[in-house]
Amino acid sequence: MSRAGSGQDGNWGMDVFDAIRKRRAVRLYRPDPVSREQVLAILDAGNRAPSGLNRQPWEFLIVTGNTVLEMGRSYRSTLDEYLSHWDKSPMRDFITREGFIRFAETYGGAPVVIVVLVPTDPLPNFKKADLESASAALENLMLAATALGLGTCWMTGPLRDEPALRRILAIPDDREIVAVTPLGYPATVPEAPPRLDPDLTKKVRWVE
Ligand SMILES: Cc1cc2nc3c(=O)[nH]c(=O)nc-3n(C[C@H](O)[C@H](O)[C@H](O)COP(=O)(O)O)c2cc1C
């Protein structure tokens, strides 16, 4: 493996701007395994994210094998109501109904699913900061995955099935689930969705 996959400081093999441009929400994966070394390199990138009060609150569950399928079956079983309104779903813009069901049922066939957790904090300010910090960690690890030629898809949909996720993964009440991402080699990479404001004329106001 190239140094890019080593997880050590140094050349990650892809410019950060390239990784940002190349990262896509991948919903279909090849079954090829992802090595433990690669997973650790990706998590190391997550672990280097900034965090409010330097609390570094993120925790990662690395799910493989039959447990991924168990999660998928359970998530799928919650979707009948959602699917009955599919004609109104914004997901229709980027996936077919059948593709969405297959994605939910198997996490797109990804060999690994990463679940991001934070400790539950009763103080709203800490809760917000911890969620933001864990989100920074998740984006970091997704970009690192892209740099290694791997795909990811930030998912909060499976939180519809939160009680089952907690049971299947033995997540205690003092942990909050932030999001989930499959991890694997993409079978197909979607087109980049157009930016709402590509020239940043509406989203930016310069203040002197
Ligand atoms: C907070 C958040 C939640 C998301 N939840 C889901 C999800 O449950 N299922 C899914 O297929 N994609 C989900 N996505 C991925 C978005 O649909 C995707 O990022 C968006 O369509 C833009 O595509 P891109 O990531 O390829 O740029 C989520 C993304 C974010 C940031």
Side-chain angles (χ1 to χ4, degrees), residues 29-30 61-76 101-115 155 158 161 164-165 168-169 180-184:
Y29 294 85
R30 305 199 322 245
L61 297 180
I62 311 306
V63 188
T64 57
N66 280 335
T67 311
V68 172
L69 297 179
E70 196 182 343
M71 285 168 65
R73 272 195 303 272
S74 180
Y75 178 34
R76 166 67 184 94
I101 292 172
R102 187 176 45 191
F103 181 46
E105 234 163 31
T106 64
Y107 286 85
V112 178
V113 170
I114 299 176
V115 182
M155 295 173 77
D161 193 26
L165 270 188
I168 294 166
L169 301 173
V180 174
T181 177
L183 175 72

Side-chain angles (χ1 to χ4, degrees), residues 23-25 27 91 94 103 153-158 193 195:
R23 185 211 53 78
R24 291 276 68 79
R27 299 187 178 87
M91 293 288 290
F94 33 84
F103 181 46
C153 181
W154 190 314
M155 295 173 77
T156 51
R195 296 299 95 190

